[in-house]
Amino acid sequence: MVNLSNSAAENLKIVPFFTHLSQTETSNLANRLVERRFNSGQIIFHMGDPAGLLYIITSGKVKIAYASSDGQEAVLAILGAGDFFGELALLDDSPRSASAESLESTQMLTLHRDEFLGFIDNNPAFSRQVLNVLARRIRHLNNQISDIFFLDLPARLARTLLHLADQHGKPTEEGTVIDISLTQTDLAEMTGATRVSINKALGRFRRENWVNVEGRTVTVLDPDALENLIHISGG
């Protein structure tokens, strides 16, 4: 663990929390950040662990998941560069509500709760930006909940693929490649389905030429068709 260098402060500009800060504010905040690195497959924290840090991803991928008492896992999100997590624990000081695991070699910036709250107190514009970002996060969670109740599995899968393409997509001549390794089990856990049902839905998407799947790489070929599927299902 090393102190963040001044040159790395520009990494903050990719984070929604900090995009509107002045150069002076960014430099001041950078002095409070600590750089951490995690290997692929390394647990960052477990559900129920004491909280106290905000994590900001500058490179790599992180899985946020909830595990039930019987060992079943639900993937809540897969995050990449520019994403952040751990913010709720900074605001209410409660234990972690989910687990976090690095999916590949990952570099992050961390901010301690006391520094975070102090920066909010001294920067009204920053506090408004925090509220805006949290509001968008809550809306996304609300959409996930409504999808479970009102969309059938193919539409939920379509929504998940479009969201992943928006977050981690790389445009190509063929379509938008989702730039993270995805197994059918990952997609099942993200959509509240079984691996068998995901396999069946993906087979349909491939036959319709809506997506292409090669190993663990998914390419969205026809986003309009996926959006239409969601609309027909009631989303």
Side-chain angles (χ1 to χ4, degrees):
M1 183 174 68
V2 296
N3 289 329
L4 181 66
S5 65
N6 290 333
S7 62
E10 289 304 314
N11 285 323
L12 291 175
K13 291 299 184 181
I14 66 175
V15 181
F17 265 165
F18 310 119
T19 48
H20 299 297
L21 295 182
S22 68
Q23 188 61 47
T24 299
E25 289 171 329
T26 301
S27 297
N28 289 338
L29 184 60
N31 292 329
R32 311 178 190 201
L33 295 169
V34 174
E35 185 178 68
R36 297 168 186 262
R37 294 181 176 88
F38 296 86
N39 297 323
S40 178
Q42 185 173 351
I43 299 298
I44 301 165
F45 55 74
H46 290 96
M47 184 174 66
D49 282 353
L53 293 176
L54 170 72
Y55 293 82
I56 303 160
I57 305 171
T58 55
S59 66
K61 298 289 187 299
V62 172
K63 177 175 72 172
I64 307 298
Y66 176 88
S68 65
S69 57
D70 61 0
Q72 292 185 321
E73 185 180 70
V75 176
L76 304 179
I78 296 179
L79 307 176
D83 290 326
F84 60 93
F85 59 96
E87 72 283 357
L88 293 181
L90 292 184
L91 298 174
D92 65 7
D93 201 25
S94 296
R96 297 295 184 189
S97 57
S99 298
E101 176 186 352
S102 58
L103 295 179
E104 60 187 48
S105 179
T106 299
Q107 181 171 308
M108 289 187 276
L109 308 176
T110 61
L111 182 66
H112 192 274
R113 181 174 189 267
D114 292 341
E115 300 285 1
F116 180 81
L117 295 178
F119 198 79
I120 286 179
D121 290 340
N122 296 322
N123 296 272
F126 176 67
S127 63
R128 288 193 294 271
Q129 180 66 7
V130 169
L131 291 174
N132 288 336
V133 172
L134 291 179
R136 290 197 294 271
R137 182 69 62 89
I138 291 171
R139 287 194 184 97
H140 175 64
L141 291 174
N142 286 341
N143 287 336
Q144 285 183 305
I145 294 171
S146 65
D147 286 353
I148 292 173
F149 283 101
F150 300 116
L151 297 183
D152 58 19
L153 171 60
R156 296 202 307 273
L157 178 58
R159 178 96 80 188
T160 297
L161 293 176
L162 288 173
H163 178 68
L164 290 171
D166 181 61
Q167 274 195 312
H168 309 294
K170 286 190 174 181
T172 67
E173 292 184 1
E174 183 183 21
T176 301
V177 177
I178 299 175
D179 189 30
I180 51 176
S181 176
L182 287 171
T183 67
Q184 292 187 9
T185 299
D186 292 334
L187 292 172
E189 291 170 346
M190 295 179 75
T191 55
T194 65
R195 191 190 65 78
V196 172
S197 58
I198 288 294
N199 181 55
K200 181 178 179 181
L202 279 176
R204 173 191 173 188
F205 288 8
R206 287 194 295 263
R207 289 193 300 273
E208 298 285 355
N209 206 34
W210 297 343
V211 304
N212 183 43
V213 181
E214 294 184 6
R216 297 187 176 186
T217 301
V218 179
T219 303
V220 175
L221 306 177
D222 193 342
D224 291 339
L226 296 179
E227 289 281 7
N228 186 57
L229 181 67
I230 296 168
H231 177 72
I232 293 173
S233 182

